[in-house]
Amino acid sequence: MNGSTVSIDHVSKRFGDFIALDDINFTIKQGEFFSLLGPSGCGKTTLLRIIAGFEFPDEGAVLFDDVNVIPYPANKRHSNTVFQSYALFPHLSVYDNVAFPLKLKKLSKSEIDEKVKKYLKLVQLDQHMHKKPNQLSGGQRQRVAIARALINEPKVLLLDEPLSALDAKLRSSLLLDLDALHDKIGITFIYVTHDQSEALAVSDRIAVMNSGHVLQVGTPFEIYENPATQFVAQFIGETNLFESTVVKCDSYQGKTGTEYNVTLHTPALGIQTPLPGDTLQTKEEDKNILVTDYEHTDEGQKVAFTIRPEKIRITTQIPDVKGRKDINVFKGIVEEPVYTGFQSKFYVRLENGTIVKVFKQHMNYLDDGPEIAWKDTVYISWSAEDGYIVEDINK
């Protein structure tokens, strides 16, 4: 791989009284496609500009392969940046736009010609090299900007929301092209976006940011399936989230080591629906739900419980769970069904009034079961293994 390891070492940045970055500390691996993900104003672009050399931190360091690059100006770092605005010269051809950095270095015409054609072919624009930017589509203009950034052969490519000006279909297509390009050249990509689906689709790892803090760093699977905080759970995709109290936490030996059956008191969900053959439970027991976790939680601890809508099963009949004790079941009424083509979204009002979101994927017409409509009485259920505990509910 040709990329650099990039270490963000306790970086802080203030603008007057506003804290843009507060003690940011993580490492991006060599050759990784790494995304900085978060809402507007969270500090992701400020961090990218510090890595690029357009801003300087108040505290901390940025290291490329263990060398602190903070003392170096932007043009002396082994990085190049692709911006949201293409920043192309309108009077120059595609060829001359891409050649511009090499002409500044005073390379020979033959070297320039060889490299320009190589990188235009890499971004699939070799047939358009003599066109002007205004003769290209938005996606093609962004590819020109990417080729121009790559032609200096940086070890780190910084991408500041490069696709946000494009329409949805073009954005999706160019995102796949960008991922394929990363696989071909093997340098480190640092990608800033506020779009969760973009980050999940192409990243090796993601840093989720909010209010100048990094809340979680992990693979797309880890970020989505095991969110570290309430904010991460709600920001990444859609979810149902409820405040809970730990009633008890029992350990057992699972497939991957010690796991825990955690019983949660979750008032917002109300009383569970008794299943056929269930022994009578007390009212307090009926209110509790079961969650599988990989960390111990203390009795009485305040946590948040989250369950993704696609993990919930919805049926018009009481589910047949064959005596399983790890299934949580609630009864409700469909408040709002929303058909979206590949799936249906149901907003189910439980017996105590709480609304729960449920997504049902349409896989095979014959296997879909009875059609569920507005005001139908339904049962929603999920396995203890599909729920997640977010221990710090204040972040």
Side-chain angles (χ1 to χ4, degrees):
M1 285 187 289
N2 303 315
S4 287
T5 298
V6 179
S7 299
I8 313 302
D9 186 13
H10 297 284
V11 166
S12 295
K13 178 68 177 179
R14 299 172 190 84
F15 296 99
D17 294 332
F18 176 70
I19 300 174
L21 298 171
D22 189 6
D23 195 29
I24 304 298
N25 191 58
F26 60 86
T27 296
I28 300 167
K29 300 172 187 175
Q30 180 189 38
E32 199 169 28
F33 196 128
F34 191 94
S35 290
L36 303 175
L37 173 65
S40 298
C42 72
K44 57 188 185 295
T45 294
T46 299
L47 180 56
L48 194 80
R49 289 176 61 82
I50 288 173
I51 297 170
F54 304 135
E55 299 278 358
F56 295 92
D58 297 318
E59 291 101 30
V62 174
L63 294 88
F64 285 15
D65 296 327
D66 299 322
V67 175
N68 184 13
V69 296
I70 293 300
Y72 298 99
N75 64 335
K76 297 297 183 182
R77 303 185 185 189
H78 295 297
S79 64
N80 269 351
T81 305
V82 178
F83 300 98
Q84 178 180 338
S85 58
Y86 317 121
L88 302 177
F89 298 110
H91 62 289
L92 297 181
S93 67
V94 167
Y95 182 100
D96 289 330
N97 264 283
V98 176
F100 187 78
L102 303 183
K103 290 179 178 178
L104 289 179
K105 289 183 173 182
K106 301 189 184 303
L107 267 62
S108 68
K109 284 187 177 181
S110 60
E111 283 182 283
I112 291 173
D113 188 64
E114 181 184 349
K115 281 196 167 189
V116 169
K117 288 177 178 176
K118 171 187 172 182
Y119 281 96
L120 284 177
K121 186 174 182 180
L122 197 63
V123 297
Q124 301 172 40
L125 285 176
D126 45 323
Q127 302 299 315
H128 303 275
M129 66 175 68
H130 300 301
K131 291 182 179 178
K132 297 287 179 64
N134 64 1
Q135 296 175 291
L136 304 176
S137 69
Q140 288 172 327
R141 289 199 292 271
Q142 193 58 283
R143 287 188 200 178
V144 176
I146 291 168
R148 187 178 59 185
L150 288 173
I151 204 162
N152 274 330
E153 299 181 343
K155 292 188 175 182
V156 180
L157 184 66
L158 307 170
L159 301 114
D160 188 7
E161 306 222 34
L163 310 182
S164 60
L166 307 175
D167 65 67
K169 279 194 174 181
L170 186 55
R171 192 162 62 239
S172 178
S173 175
L174 192 53
L175 186 68
L176 294 176
D177 291 341
L178 200 57
D179 191 29
L181 184 63
H182 170 260
D183 293 340
K184 284 180 183 177
I185 61 177
I187 67 172
T188 306
F189 277 28
I190 305 178
Y191 185 85
V192 163
T193 182
H194 64 273
D195 189 308
Q196 305 95 321
S197 59
E198 282 185 8
L200 290 171
V202 297
S203 306
D204 295 312
R205 287 190 304 148
I206 300 168
V208 182
M209 299 182 65
N210 190 41
S211 301
H213 296 88
V214 171
L215 303 183
Q216 185 173 1
V217 176
T219 65
F221 181 86
E222 290 166 344
I223 294 287
Y224 187 83
E225 296 290 352
N226 191 20
T229 71
Q230 183 172 348
F231 176 86
V232 175
Q234 292 176 308
F235 185 74
I236 304 295
E238 295 190 56
T239 197
N240 299 285
L241 195 141
F242 311 100
E243 292 191 4
S244 305
T245 304
V246 177
V247 175
K248 61 179 179 177
C249 182
D250 299 322
S251 65
Y252 67 97
Q253 201 60 29
K255 295 177 182 177
T256 58
T258 302
E259 297 179 17
Y260 298 90
N261 282 326
V262 185
T263 304
L264 297 178
H265 177 55
T266 310
L269 289 175
I271 298 173
Q272 291 206 53
T273 299
L275 299 174
D278 272 0
T279 56
L280 230 57
Q281 296 177 315
T282 68
K283 290 296 182 184
E284 284 306 310
E285 288 173 336
D286 284 342
K287 290 180 181 179
N288 297 332
I289 61 172
L290 191 65
V291 186
T292 300
D293 200 13
Y294 299 98
E295 295 182 12
H296 182 270
T297 46
D298 297 323
E299 183 178 332
Q301 185 175 344
K302 301 293 183 183
V303 298
F305 166 74
T306 180
I307 177 75
R308 297 286 185 186
E310 71 275 11
K311 306 285 187 181
I312 302 174
R313 188 181 178 211
I314 183 169
T315 56
T316 55
Q317 302 293 325
I318 294 179
D320 180 12
V321 296
K322 295 182 172 63
R324 287 178 58 181
K325 299 298 182 184
D326 62 325
I327 304 296
N328 302 289
V329 182
F330 293 88
K331 185 178 181 181
I333 293 174
V334 176
E335 191 77 8
E336 189 69 45
V338 179
Y339 177 78
T340 62
F342 69 96
Q343 69 177 5
S344 288
K345 299 182 179 183
F346 299 98
Y347 295 82
V348 178
R349 184 179 295 278
L350 302 185
E351 291 179 309
N352 70 337
T354 297
I355 298 290
V356 177
K357 288 182 287 188
V358 183
F359 295 169
K360 183 180 181 183
Q361 192 84 3
H362 299 306
M363 293 179 290
N364 184 292
Y365 178 76
L366 295 177
D367 292 338
D368 264 0
E371 185 178 348
I372 297 172
W374 179 58
K375 294 301 180 183
D376 277 356
T377 296
V378 293
Y379 297 88
I380 62 171
S381 57
W382 66 87
S383 164
E385 293 187 352
D386 288 329
Y388 322 108
I389 289 177
V390 179
E391 293 189 35
D392 188 348
I393 65 175
N394 297 314
K395 285 188 179 180

